[in-house]
Each structure stands twice: as C-alpha cells, then as structure tokens.
Amino acid sequence: MIRDYIAATRAASMEGAAMQLVELLIRLEQVAEVGDEQSSGCAYRASIRMIYSILHVVEEYCATSLADLIDRRFDNGHLDPWLPVDLRLAWLAAEAELEEAEA
C-alpha cells in the first residue's frame, strides 16, 4: 500500500524524488521478471507518473529548465499526468501548430 502511495503521489522534495526513483527501479525489475501484461500496464503507468514527478522536482532545483536540457523529441508534455488536462491539450495544439509551420 505504501509503495502504491509513493507511485501515485507527486514528489515535493529531492528526498521524495529519490524514493520514487528507487520505487521505479524496483517496479521495472518486477516487470522484467514477471512479464505479465496486466501487471506491466499498471507498472508502466506508475512508472510514467514517477518519472514526470521526479523531473518536476529536478526542474525546481535546476538553474535551467528541463525543456532547455532535454532534446525536444523527448519533451512530451502532453503525456505528463501531473499537468491539468487543459494544459496538456494546449501543449498538443501548440505542437501541431509548430509542425504545421515547419511543413
């Protein structure tokens, strides 16, 4: 139950992000061992939540924004489960406009 809470709560500190990183590694190891499709899906969603949670904390402590540090191809803001849906949709719309302008 505690492990599920760790995966489902957005980290607010480096300590919390570190706990999520350890939990993420444990879950990835379990997915590799078990190979169960349903468990893999749950572990994948939990992993995405923890990855974005960790990235938010790291960004708070960095002098540079993650958007500037991470290659644009890996900046999938619309996948960030911690952002409100309207912001995620706006991100997708902005990406579509940018791709259209580049075409």
Side-chain angles (χ1 to χ4, degrees), residues 92-103:
L92 280 174
E95 279 295 304
E97 286 179 19
L98 183 62
E99 287 178 10
E100 189 175 294
E102 290 176 351

Side-chain angles (χ1 to χ4, degrees), residues 74-94:
F74 299 107
D75 183 22
N76 296 318
H78 69 284
L79 298 175
D80 186 342
W82 302 107
L83 294 179
V85 173
D86 57 334
L87 288 178
R88 293 165 70 181
L89 292 173
W91 190 93
L92 280 174

Side-chain angles (χ1 to χ4, degrees), residues 4 7 10 16 20 41 58 60 65-66 68 70-71 84-85 87 95 98 102:
D4 288 336
R10 184 172 169 182
Q20 284 186 326
V58 169
E60 287 179 28
S65 74
L66 288 178
D68 293 336
I70 298 174
D71 188 302
V85 173
L87 288 178
E95 279 295 304
L98 183 62
E102 290 176 351

